[in-house]
Amino acid sequence: MVVDDQPLWRDAVERDLAQAGYSVVAVAANGREALARFPAARPDVVVLDLQIPAPDGVEVTGEIVRQDPSVRVLVLSASGEQGDVLAAVTAGATGYLVKSASREELLAAVRRVAQGDPVFTPGLAGLVLGEFQRRSETPLDPAEPALTDRETEVLRMVAKGMSYRQIAERLVLSHRTVQNHVQNTLRKLQMHNRVELTRYAIERGLDAD
């Protein structure tokens, strides 16, 4: 599903996705249309501009992720401002690209986001994780659910930015098994996406060698 209030841009993104073999199940020009069409369209990935007529992209992201936690939201915005990026990720976006990204970068981002991998325009990932680290001043809870050794091992690799496929190859596991480990870890920690999981791992130093 493609959501953007600029017809030329929306049509171009839709065309690029269709040419790459993706099925565009819906388009919308504003937040109201996006929320109205989402339940029937049930897209796997939503490519969304933040600066759209109300409700804006952050509100739309939060609402569609609430309706369907499995949906992946890739923000495609003209803004690379820290506040916009953090608001989108906090609302549940899996990825964030600025509109200066090339067609190839967009298609690669859609492919990775569909797999559940967080994708950011270079420089933004560190900003997001750094900010979440600074925000977290909560002491560790000794009653936190225990992770298995394998789940911890997978979590370390997630924290280092490795994709599911790379983790599967490193541990000689199937892609599906790695996904299951991540889903189990998310459920145990009561988290919703890999960005939150990565933040958790970095806060605990699991990204260090």
Side-chain angles (χ1 to χ4, degrees), residues 3 30-35 48-50 52-60:
V3 184
N30 55 57
R32 192 178 66 257
E33 283 184 4
L35 293 179
L48 172 77
D49 186 13
L50 284 189
I52 53 175
D56 66 18
V58 171
E59 291 182 72
V60 170

Side-chain angles (χ1 to χ4, degrees), residues 27-145:
V27 296
N30 55 57
R32 192 178 66 257
E33 283 184 4
L35 293 179
R37 293 171 186 174
F38 177 78
R42 305 306 284 184
D44 296 312
V45 177
V46 177
V47 180
L48 172 77
D49 186 13
L50 284 189
Q51 287 78 27
I52 53 175
D56 66 18
V58 171
E59 291 182 72
V60 170
T61 297
E63 177 57 24
I64 65 176
V65 169
R66 187 192 66 76
Q67 289 183 30
D68 180 4
S70 70
V71 72
R72 310 299 186 189
V73 178
L74 173 63
V75 171
L76 190 58
S77 174
S79 169
E81 292 294 320
Q82 176 172 335
D84 289 335
V85 181
L86 293 174
V89 173
T90 301
T94 306
Y96 195 110
L97 286 187
V98 295
K99 284 188 172 180
S100 56
S102 67
R103 175 181 182 274
E104 289 71 26
E105 288 171 327
L106 169 63
L107 295 176
V110 169
R111 185 169 60 251
R112 288 191 60 196
V113 164
Q115 296 171 348
D117 292 342
V119 180
F120 296 93
T121 291
L124 295 185
L127 176 157
V128 171
L129 294 172
E131 178 63 20
F132 277 137
Q133 241 179 318
R134 284 191 294 275
R135 283 185 187 182
S136 178
E137 297 172 352
T138 308
L140 300 187
D141 182 357
E144 277 183 349

